[in-house]
Amino acid sequence: MKATAELYAYTEIVPPVLEYTEVFSRGTGESSDIVRKEMYTFNDKGERSVTLRPEFTAGVVRAVVSNKLYATEEMPLKLFYCGPAFRYERPQLGRYRQFNQFGVEEIGQDSSRVDAECIIMAMQGLYMLGFQKLSLKINTIGDDATRKAYREALKSYFALHIDEMCDDCHERLQLNPMRILDCKVESDQKIAAGAPKIKDYLSEASEKRFYETLSILNDLGVEYELDDSLVRGLDYYSEVVFEIHAIAQDGTDVGALGGGGHYGGLVKELGGPDLPGVGFAMGLERVYSLMEKDGLLKNLETGIDLYVMPVGENVLNDVFVLTEEVRQLGYSADTPLAALKMGAMFKKAEKRGAKFALILGEDERDKGVAQLKNLKTKEQSEISLEHLADELDSAFHKAFPDEEEEAEGHDESCSCGCGHDGHCSCGDAEKTDEKADDSDADLVKEGCACSDADYDPEEKKEEGMK
Ligand code: AMP
């Protein structure tokens, strides 16, 4: 997913796990189930209420505001994140109290093309992991005027049925009747099915914007399903919202893999300028579990380049040095750090997914050579340690000739051999990560996303653009 985000020119942001509770109550929204029931909230030693992040968007926007990234970075900001989130929910298949999310936020440019880019990136990331059949559900919840009119209509409709509905829905009716549409109680869902539809309340501008986004998806051949019951459970959304679903070949449905949408007022709500944003988040456990069921995990297997084997106690230190040398040359390598039987070392090499074994005994050391064995073809040859770099270079090029051609357009040393036809599934993220490291370092230097100790959301709001 990181590799895909980088293809679309997003850079990584690493927001803190812990935020002041207001960030979520004001950002994610008082009427959302997350804020009402699912947050791990406690007072710190300074008696300030803090919360383990239940989602990333509010925290990312807080970081953008408190570090004024909107003023220092080239706009629009294109950020991706990855890490744990915490929700006090009843654990079940695909639902955990600590789970990992990957997501992106694009902040500062108001356009249906930006919204479309975010959706396409999410789909493309999943295709690159090997998913073949994804279902994109999409809807619009319109602008402020649309939602105001729609909430009134829902209030009138649900007022007639509220006596038959769950306690939560009583509260939702007061706070935000749109949240009733997310209710999981079956009998409530039946009542919600007969509720007014948002499409009948859309302002002209929102309708136009939605059809612009759909038309971009059409142009790119992205299939979607219009779902007018989709409203998403977080308060900050406006205009387009979407969810991506996939069902395992054995029929297992772990729920939505991810979802997102446009947000109009969130940056301002958290004390920043009036800038729009769009984002999506996906649950990595759900993605992983479906990949496991559909046999897609092999797409993530990269393995190491070399397993370096000492033959006997007397060469342990030489092998240690040699392993370090090949790492310095840019090859991933491991070694047992103890003298083991050859059979045991080949087993370890296989477990690590090593492409080659590099074998050194006393005789080889004294002659300045080593044995290099291709673990797939079993071909073995003697190589000169004096010319180690050239020897390894030519052995790898001989073993993986496709990569040389692909390297030009893709990645210098991608090792998947899958053809990279735009749906590359190599999972060669580590290689591209090496490059990402530098840019990440810059981001941290220029606009650190940590929770600013002096950050006071109230004060920031007053400050506004100042
Ligand atoms: P949300 O932030 O609620 O829009 O959720 C985005 C994605 O995160 C969902 O589509 C799920 O894949 C994942 N997710 C949300 N809550 C959980 C949870 N409790 N356990 C596992 N994954 C979750």
Side-chain angles (χ1 to χ4, degrees):
M1 290 308 300
K2 286 182 175 184
T4 312
E6 280 160 4
L7 273 185
Y8 285 77
Y10 291 84
T11 52
E12 187 165 9
I13 186 162
V14 186
V17 172
L18 205 60
E19 295 275 359
Y20 289 127
T21 303
E22 287 150 294
V23 170
F24 302 111
S25 53
R26 282 184 28 193
T28 315
E30 296 281 9
S31 84
S32 64
D33 274 9
I34 291 180
V35 172
R36 284 175 52 239
K37 299 187 293 190
E38 295 171 0
M39 296 205 303
Y40 284 90
T41 296
F42 53 94
N43 280 358
D44 69 5
K45 288 194 197 312
E47 289 305 314
R48 286 165 298 208
S49 178
V50 289
T51 294
L52 289 173
R53 66 179 171 221
E55 56 108 18
F56 279 72
T57 303
V60 168
V61 170
R62 194 279 310 149
V64 165
V65 171
S66 54
N67 294 288
K68 294 195 170 61
L69 295 189
Y70 51 81
T72 54
E73 299 275 330
E74 204 176 298
M75 297 295 274
L77 293 169
K78 294 181 76 169
L79 305 168
F80 74 82
Y81 58 78
C82 188
F86 306 82
R87 291 185 195 173
Y88 189 73
E89 292 191 89
R90 196 163 63 81
Q92 53 190 291
L93 178 70
R95 201 166 282 286
Y96 312 101
R97 288 182 171 162
Q98 175 171 349
F99 57 99
N100 288 276
Q101 283 192 331
F102 172 90
V104 305
E105 309 295 344
E106 190 156 348
I107 297 170
Q109 193 175 341
D110 200 5
S111 147
S112 45
R113 275 184 296 280
V114 178
D115 299 346
E117 183 178 58
C118 179
I119 297 170
I120 291 160
M121 191 258 139
M123 299 285 283
Q124 181 68 7
L126 289 166
Y127 282 131
M128 284 174 83
L129 292 174
F131 287 100
Q132 304 280 334
K133 259 188 98 179
L134 298 171
S135 139
L136 169 65
K137 293 176 195 278
I138 190 164
N139 191 24
T140 176
I141 55 169
D143 51 20
D144 289 350
T146 301
R147 288 194 310 286
K148 191 162 178 269
Y150 185 50
R151 275 197 288 265
E152 287 309 315
L154 287 180
K155 242 184 196 156
S156 312
Y157 172 81
F158 285 119
L160 301 174
H161 302 276
I162 196 68
D163 292 344
E164 305 150 55
M165 302 182 81
C166 73
D167 290 347
D168 262 350
C169 281
H170 284 244
E171 211 176 311
R172 290 175 179 130
L173 184 62
Q174 298 311 317
L175 288 168
N176 180 356
M178 278 172 73
R179 295 281 78 85
I180 297 180
L181 303 176
D182 297 329
C183 182
K184 303 281 178 296
V185 178
E186 217 173 295
S187 54
D188 291 356
Q189 283 178 346
K190 283 194 186 131
I191 296 172
K197 302 291 180 213
I198 199 154
K199 62 174 185 283
D200 299 321
Y201 296 84
L202 277 185
S203 70
E204 214 174 292
S206 288
E207 193 166 1
K208 180 167 171 277
R209 186 190 175 103
F210 187 46
Y211 286 106
E212 273 170 13
T213 306
L214 296 183
S215 123
I216 298 170
L217 297 179
N218 290 337
D219 288 349
L220 286 168
V222 177
E223 286 180 20
Y224 53 82
E225 185 191 323
L226 295 176
D227 181 349
D228 56 18
S229 66
L230 183 69
V231 290
R232 312 270 306 136
L234 307 141
D235 286 358
Y236 47 66
Y237 287 120
S238 55
E239 310 291 358
V240 68
V241 289
F242 65 96
E243 268 182 11
I244 302 172
H245 293 246
I247 302 214
Q249 279 154 18
D250 70 358
T252 312
D253 180 358
V254 292
L257 292 184
H262 177 93
Y263 42 89
L266 182 59
V267 183
K268 195 160 179 224
E269 177 60 40
L270 291 177
D274 193 3
L275 292 173
V278 58
F280 84 89
M282 63 176 54
L284 295 183
E285 285 75 8
R286 291 190 190 181
V287 170
Y288 188 90
S289 131
L290 281 190
M291 287 182 75
E292 193 173 33
K293 287 205 154 53
D294 287 357
L296 299 176
L297 290 181
K298 60 181 184 316
N299 295 339
L300 300 177
E301 283 166 11
T302 47
I304 57 170
D305 293 323
L306 291 150
Y307 197 76
V308 192
M309 302 181 177
V311 186
E313 296 272 348
N314 295 341
V315 290
L316 279 178
N317 281 350
D318 305 279
V319 163
F320 191 84
V321 172
L322 180 59
T323 308
E324 205 45 43
E325 269 172 36
V326 297
R327 288 173 181 150
Q328 301 291 329
L329 291 171
Y331 296 92
S332 52
D334 199 12
T335 181
L337 300 171
L340 300 180
K341 292 209 167 98
M342 289 311 283
M345 288 195 286
F346 276 108
K347 272 206 183 112
K348 280 184 182 286
E350 197 185 328
K351 279 236 162 72
R352 295 268 192 280
K355 297 178 185 81
F356 283 90
L358 186 59
I359 306 158
L360 189 82
E362 281 182 79
D363 279 358
E364 279 92 3
R365 179 196 58 196
D366 297 343
K367 284 202 290 181
V369 297
Q371 302 295 328
L372 185 66
K373 182 166 185 172
N374 181 323
L375 292 174
K376 195 163 170 213
T377 62
K378 312 291 180 217
E379 271 174 74
Q380 185 168 322
S381 58
E382 192 171 273
I383 62 165
S384 144
L385 291 178
E386 197 189 335
H387 304 293
L388 186 62
D390 291 342
E391 297 270 20
L392 291 179
D393 197 37
S394 77
F396 272 85
H397 280 171
K398 190 173 157 222
F400 306 102
D402 288 353
E403 284 165 24
E404 282 173 80
E405 288 159 31
E406 297 302 336
E408 285 166 23
H410 181 71
D411 184 84
E412 273 146 35
S413 52
C414 174
S415 53
C416 72
C418 75
H420 308 307
D421 60 358
H423 278 35
C424 167
S425 53
C426 69
D428 202 349
E430 278 148 45
K431 301 268 164 59
T432 46
D433 270 352
E434 283 170 20
K435 288 183 205 147
D437 280 344
D438 290 336
S439 55
D440 296 349
D442 286 342
L443 181 64
V444 172
K445 251 187 278 152
E446 283 167 29
C448 172
C450 71
S451 204
D452 173 353
D454 298 319
Y455 173 67
D456 171 352
E458 260 332 305
E459 188 185 304
K460 290 280 166 190
K461 195 169 183 192
E462 277 164 28
E463 261 181 32
M465 273 297 280
K466 259 198 293 172

